[in-house]
Amino acid sequence: MRLPPVLLLLVAGFGYAALAADYKPEFKMSVVVNEDTAWGRAANRFADAVRFRTQGRIKIKNYFEGRLFAGEQTTEFKLMQQGTADFAIGSTGNWSPQVNELNLFFLPFLFSNYAALDAVETGEPGKRLFKLVEQNGVVPIAWGENGFREVTNSTRAIRRPDDLQGLKIRVPPIPILVEIFEALGAKPVTMNWDQAQAAFQQLIVDGQENPVALIIPYKLWEAHKHVTLWHYAIDPLILAVSAKTWATLSPEDQSILQKVGEEIMAEQKKEAREGLTDAALVDSLEKIYQMEVTRLSPADIEAFREKTKFVYDKWSRDIGVEIVRSAEKLAEKQKTN
C-alpha cells in the first residue's frame, strides 16, 4: 500500500530524528594553526555552515593550535584513521608520514606558481592522491591552501646556498625537509610548531621555513629580521573526514558535507592566495615590522635547485616516478601559459 504524501514526510522526519539522535553530540575538528589565519577562519566557517545546513545534526568543535593531537603534528592523520578526530583541515606535509606520496608537494622547486599547483590538484596526480588518502582511512573533501614555504631567520639575509651554511633551521619532523636543508648546508632542527615558537624567542634555533602568512599572526618578526622569498616548496591543505565518522552519516548529510566543504575551501584558497601574493603583505613586513625581505631571481633559485637535485631525485623514486613525472609535465606546461 502506498503511503499518502503527508505520511511519507512524517516517516522521513522520524528517520532523520532517529539518525540525528545516533550522531555524536560533538564532532571534533583538528587544526594545526590558530584562528587568525585563512586556514583557521575556514575551519570556523565550515563548522558554522555545516551546523546550519544539517539543521544542527552535525555540530563541529574546532581544536586549534594542535590541541587535539597534543602538539605532535605528524600524528594528526593517525587520529583521523582512528576516528579520534572526526574532521581536519590538514597540511599535506603533516600527513606525508602516513601517505608518502603527499611528499610530492615538498619536492624542492617543483612548483613555480599557483597555476602549476592547480593543474596538479585537479589533474590525474591530484585525483590519485585523493584515492590514496581514502585508501588509508580518511575521506578527502576538498583542497585548500597554505602557500609557498619561505625561510626566515635572525642571523643574515639568504641569497645563495652558502648563506644557509651552519644555520639552525627549525623544520617540522618531515624527513624530506630535513634532507633539503642538510643538502644546503644548514643544521635542520625538527620540532613541533608549539615548541618552535619558544625556541625562536630563546634563540635556540636561528630560523624556520613556512608560508609568509604565518609571520604576522605568530609574531615571527619579533625574533627574525630576515625573510627570503624562494618558493622552495608548497603546502596544500586538505579538508577531510575520518572514514569511520563518514560511515556513520546519512547519504544526505554526506552530500551536504561535500558541497559545503568544496564551497568553504574554494573561498579559503582564494583568501589565502590573495594574502600571500598581495604586495601589501610584503610591504608591511618591511615598513611596519622592519624585516629585510630578500627576493630571489630565477638565476638565484637555480643555484638552490642544483644543490638539492639529489634530494629531488631520491624522493622522486620514493614517491613514485609515474606520479612525479605526471606532475612535472603539468607544472612545466603552466610555465608557458
Side-chain angles (χ1 to χ4, degrees):
M1 180 181 70
R2 291 186 62 187
L3 292 174
V6 173
L7 288 180
L8 283 173
L9 289 172
L10 286 172
V11 170
F14 283 128
Y16 257 133
L19 182 62
D22 292 337
Y23 283 3
K24 297 177 181 180
E26 174 188 288
F27 292 82
K28 297 177 180 179
M29 164 88 89
S30 176
V31 187
V32 175
V33 296
N34 64 31
E35 296 180 73
D36 190 23
T37 59
W39 186 347
R41 289 188 289 273
N44 281 332
R45 287 196 292 263
F46 180 70
D48 290 342
V50 166
R51 182 168 184 164
F52 175 74
R53 297 277 283 272
T54 63
Q55 300 179 334
R57 291 188 297 278
I58 299 177
K59 303 178 183 70
I60 299 173
K61 180 176 180 179
N62 291 322
Y63 288 76
F64 295 101
E65 302 274 21
R67 287 189 294 119
L68 198 57
F69 51 78
E72 297 294 329
Q73 62 195 71
T74 56
T75 66
E76 183 177 63
F77 195 86
K78 289 183 179 179
L79 296 183
M80 298 273 285
Q81 290 174 312
Q82 297 163 0
T84 304
D86 299 293
F87 297 90
I89 300 178
S91 158
T92 49
N94 288 337
W95 292 2
S96 64
Q98 290 79 42
V99 184
N100 183 58
E101 291 82 358
L102 290 175
N103 282 298
L104 173 73
F105 301 108
F106 281 170
L107 286 175
F109 306 102
L110 170 57
F111 296 93
S112 59
N113 54 43
Y114 287 118
L117 177 63
D118 288 339
V120 168
E121 287 178 353
T122 58
E124 187 56 36
K127 293 173 184 176
R128 183 173 173 185
L129 289 172
F130 265 26
K131 287 180 182 178
L132 288 167
V133 169
E134 188 165 3
Q135 287 168 8
N136 279 275
V138 174
V139 179
I141 294 175
W143 293 101
E145 188 63 74
N146 195 25
F148 282 102
R149 299 180 78 93
E150 320 294 5
V151 63
T152 69
N153 80 96
S154 60
T155 306
R156 55 180 174 261
I158 296 170
R159 297 185 176 88
R160 57 189 65 84
D162 286 349
D163 293 329
L164 276 163
Q165 190 69 39
L167 291 185
K168 294 180 180 178
I169 303 294
R170 176 269 172 183
V171 299
I174 299 171
I176 186 173
L177 297 187
V178 172
E179 294 181 24
I180 289 171
F181 280 90
E182 286 177 341
L184 293 169
K187 296 179 179 178
V189 180
T190 60
M191 59 177 65
N192 289 293
W193 186 235
D194 58 336
Q195 301 167 322
Q197 293 164 73
F200 302 148
Q201 295 295 333
Q202 297 165 16
L203 302 181
I204 295 172
V205 295
D206 302 303
Q208 63 86 46
E209 54 74 58
N210 253 310
V212 293
L214 296 186
I215 291 176
I216 293 175
Y218 283 99
K219 299 182 179 180
L220 296 180
W221 43 268
E222 290 183 343
H224 297 165
K225 296 306 177 185
H226 303 279
V227 54
T228 295
L229 307 180
W230 62 340
H231 284 22
Y232 91 103
I234 198 160
D235 193 13
L237 306 177
I238 298 177
L239 167 64
V241 55
S242 166
K244 291 185 177 181
T245 300
W246 186 255
T248 68
L249 305 177
S250 71
E252 291 83 359
D253 285 339
Q254 289 177 352
S255 179
I256 289 171
L257 285 173
Q258 184 70 45
K259 184 172 180 56
V260 169
E262 290 173 353
E263 293 169 351
I264 294 295
M265 295 312 288
E267 183 180 2
Q268 186 277 336
K269 182 181 282 193
K270 180 181 178 182
E271 179 184 340
R273 290 182 179 178
E274 286 176 350
L276 291 167
T277 58
D278 190 349
L281 172 61
V282 175
D283 195 47
S284 67
L285 294 180
E286 291 179 307
K287 294 181 178 178
I288 298 176
Y289 299 103
Q290 300 293 293
M291 295 188 80
E292 180 182 329
V293 179
T294 300
R295 300 166 178 83
L296 299 186
S297 69
D300 293 330
I301 290 173
E302 195 57 37
F304 288 93
R305 190 195 307 276
E306 186 61 31
K307 279 277 189 178
T308 57
K309 186 178 185 303
F310 75 91
V311 178
Y312 188 107
D313 292 341
K314 173 194 169 185
W315 278 90
S316 292
R317 293 189 295 270
D318 195 40
I319 294 165
V321 173
E322 183 181 344
I323 192 171
V324 171
R325 296 294 174 261
S326 177
E328 287 173 343
K329 289 178 182 177
L330 290 168
E332 183 64 30
K333 186 176 180 181
Q334 293 306 316
K335 287 184 180 179
T336 56
N337 283 354

